[in-house]
Amino acid sequence: DGGITQSPKYLFRKEGQNVTLSCEQNLNHDAMYWYRQDPGQGLRLIYYSQIVNDFQKGDIAEGYSVSREKKESFPLTVTSAQKNPTAFYLCASSQGQGAVYEQYFGPGTRLTVT
Amino acid sequence: LAKTTQPISMDSYEGQEVNITCSHNNIATNDYITWYQQFPSQGPRFIIQGYKTKVTNEVASLFIPADRKSSTLSLPRVSLSDTAVYYCLVGGGYQKVTFGIGTKLQVIP
């Protein structure tokens, strides 16, 4: 089955700890994205990557970091510098980068930091 | 990037046709219009995409007037399972993607 996997589904961390969210795709897509969603809000773009070893900041990159060492993987690290990290995190991929390309989303990771 | 404006929320009774309009006055020549559907605690799912005139698939229709400054997503005979948030995206390739807040559709029995 082709698709995007995110793990874990739920994640709990103490304030001050860094945490890494996993995102893997087997769709052979070049582009990958990370979004954050807060209750009742839309999706906000954190980082995106057009190709391996390249990524760009989205609208709310502060306090987050990413890497794209493999085509299939785009992990997101939520650092202790992120002021309000509790949110629903969604990873997506598409054949190319941009709104014209259909994005395929993973099931999401709900992160709670206390 | 083209800015989009769509209603925050809409209510509809089961069995009715629902039309959600998105305004995008500064759409560029190379931009496409794409709609996604999102259920609670899930990622959005692609519904339909168009460039001009009308596009129809098994789920919805998309109407785009000649000036392309707006578009209307039409959902025929909605059911309770169509209760979701619907996002209108406008853009082409190699541009930052912006989802916005979307339109929350509530289908009433």
Side-chain angles (χ1 to χ4, degrees):
Chain A
D1 263 342
I4 300 182
T5 56
Q6 291 185 244
S7 61
K9 192 171 175 69
Y10 298 95
L11 192 52
F12 298 88
R13 279 294 183 269
K14 294 288 188 187
E15 202 172 305
Q17 293 179 334
N18 290 357
V19 59
T20 298
L21 280 57
S22 166
C23 177
E24 304 277 331
Q25 56 101 355
N26 61 4
L27 299 168
N28 200 33
H29 285 167
D30 284 322
M32 296 188 75
Y33 312 79
W34 273 105
Y35 295 92
R36 169 185 173 138
Q37 188 169 37
D38 293 287
Q41 303 297 311
L43 280 69
R44 291 187 289 169
L45 182 64
I46 304 172
Y47 268 98
Y48 62 102
S49 168
Q50 294 185 28
I51 201 165
V52 175
N53 292 323
D54 181 66
F55 49 83
Q56 286 82 40
K57 293 181 179 180
D59 298 316
I60 55 164
E62 187 175 346
Y64 300 97
S65 66
V66 294
S67 63
R68 186 86 188 275
E69 296 175 3
K70 297 187 298 182
K71 189 174 187 177
E72 315 81 63
S73 179
F74 192 41
L76 173 74
T77 296
V78 184
T79 74
S80 56
Q82 169 50 233
K83 298 276 187 273
N84 298 295
T86 294
F88 186 48
Y89 291 88
L90 286 160
C91 178
S93 72
S94 59
Q95 189 173 5
Q97 194 275 321
V100 68
Y101 296 98
E102 178 181 347
Q103 290 194 27
Y104 295 77
F105 282 81
T109 292
R110 195 168 293 280
L111 173 65
T112 302
V113 177
T114 57
Chain B
L1 292 173
K3 178 177 163 53
T4 59
T5 303
Q6 50 183 123
I8 298 284
S9 64
M10 295 179 70
D11 291 337
S12 176
Y13 287 102
E14 263 191 304
Q16 288 189 329
E17 178 184 78
V18 171
N19 295 310
I20 306 174
T21 296
C22 179
S23 297
H24 29 81
N25 290 322
N26 60 339
I27 188 169
T29 303
N30 295 331
D31 287 346
Y32 281 71
I33 300 151
T34 311
W35 286 80
Y36 286 80
Q37 174 191 56
Q38 184 184 25
F39 298 114
S41 297
Q42 293 184 25
R45 182 183 70 163
F46 173 93
I47 301 175
I48 197 166
Q49 183 182 75
Y51 183 80
K52 61 180 179 180
T53 63
K54 176 183 173 183
V55 179
T56 297
N57 62 23
E58 64 278 4
V59 176
S61 294
L62 178 60
F63 298 92
I64 305 168
D67 66 6
R68 304 203 322 128
K69 292 181 185 291
S70 67
S71 57
T72 299
L73 174 73
S74 181
L75 304 172
R77 297 182 299 282
V78 293
S79 65
L80 295 177
S81 63
D82 292 314
T83 293
V85 177
Y86 293 83
Y87 297 94
C88 166
L89 274 67
V90 173
Y94 303 103
Q95 296 172 342
K96 197 168 62 174
V97 180
T98 301
F99 268 80
I101 296 174
T103 297
K104 186 172 183 178
L105 172 65
Q106 180 69 52
V107 179
I108 306 163

